Amino acid sequence: MNEEHSPMKLLMQRLQHNESEVVRQALEEIGRSGKGNREAIKMLQDFLKGERRMPLRVLAVQTIAKIKESPQSSAKEFKKPNVFQCPGAEKIKRVEILEVTCPYCHQKGTASVAGFEYEFECESCGGMIQRDIPESCIEKCPVGSECVGEGRYQKYLQGRKKAT
């Protein structure tokens, strides 16, 4: 078969069409038939460089994601997921939404604060608001810093020291 008239080449030519519907259909067909085709991915990337119609750009990105082959990981690279996560560590990692009243400007609002943060900035005035961090098992655990990461662990300990 002539390389110029291969089905993928014809679809790529349709990407240059002025009518959005023709381009949309071509992108959908490439998504169905282009799995693992590096040339198709390259052509879609080139298409994105010149295309200005946002819905078609979004569809092209989705098509690239669909046809891209994910590399197979070897058994050595495979990491067994943790079935059990320490509840104390999860509480420290989690981001909480708090209702706060700033002690400086007295504005009420909300703040999203990670479980290890003992102070955060007021959105209205920029003042630093402090809060009490409840005690967690990671303080006493011999591997507590490994559960949450060294940076979070140190910030948690600083917050606990200021609370006492």
Side-chain angles (χ1 to χ4, degrees):
M1 180 176 221
N2 187 351
E3 190 68 25
E4 281 293 312
H5 299 292
S6 73
M8 195 56 67
K9 289 278 188 192
L10 293 172
L11 286 171
M12 293 300 172
Q13 289 172 358
R14 289 177 51 202
L15 291 179
Q16 306 308 316
H17 205 280
N18 289 334
E19 288 185 40
S20 294
E21 184 60 24
V22 172
V23 176
R24 186 188 63 75
Q25 289 173 356
L27 287 168
E28 288 176 357
E29 184 58 35
I30 292 167
R32 285 190 290 275
S33 61
K35 185 76 173 162
N37 186 328
R38 291 182 189 272
E39 185 180 355
I41 293 170
K42 173 78 171 98
M43 288 183 180
L44 286 170
Q45 290 169 335
D46 290 341
F47 167 77
L48 282 169
K49 290 177 187 173
E51 182 58 48
R52 296 290 170 238
R53 297 170 283 191
M54 190 53 72
L56 295 176
R57 290 178 57 80
V58 169
L59 186 56
V61 170
Q62 291 170 339
T63 303
I64 290 172
K66 190 186 296 184
I67 67 176
K68 217 178 229 184
E69 283 186 332
S70 60
Q72 296 293 325
S73 57
S74 69
K76 289 179 186 175
E77 295 172 14
F78 182 74
K79 195 173 181 181
K80 183 179 177 185
N82 291 333
V83 175
F84 174 74
Q85 291 288 330
C86 169
E90 289 306 308
K91 189 172 183 178
I92 298 299
K93 292 177 187 177
R94 183 179 34 225
V95 174
E96 303 173 53
I97 307 296
L98 304 174
E99 295 284 330
V100 295
T101 302
C102 178
Y104 307 106
C105 68
H106 306 291
Q107 292 288 324
K108 291 184 179 186
T110 59
S112 57
V113 183
F116 61 88
E117 294 177 319
Y118 61 92
E119 63 182 4
F120 52 94
E121 191 173 336
C122 172
E123 291 182 354
S124 298
C125 71
M128 293 307 285
I129 302 171
Q130 294 186 344
R131 71 179 186 127
D132 291 331
I133 297 178
E135 186 177 4
S136 171
C137 60
I138 68 163
E139 274 183 78
K140 297 170 181 76
C141 180
V143 292
S145 64
E146 292 175 30
C147 286
V148 296
E150 190 61 38
R152 286 182 185 144
Y153 185 70
Q154 291 304 322
K155 284 184 179 180
Y156 168 80
L157 292 178
Q158 286 174 349
R160 289 292 297 153
K161 283 180 189 171
K162 290 193 179 201
T164 56

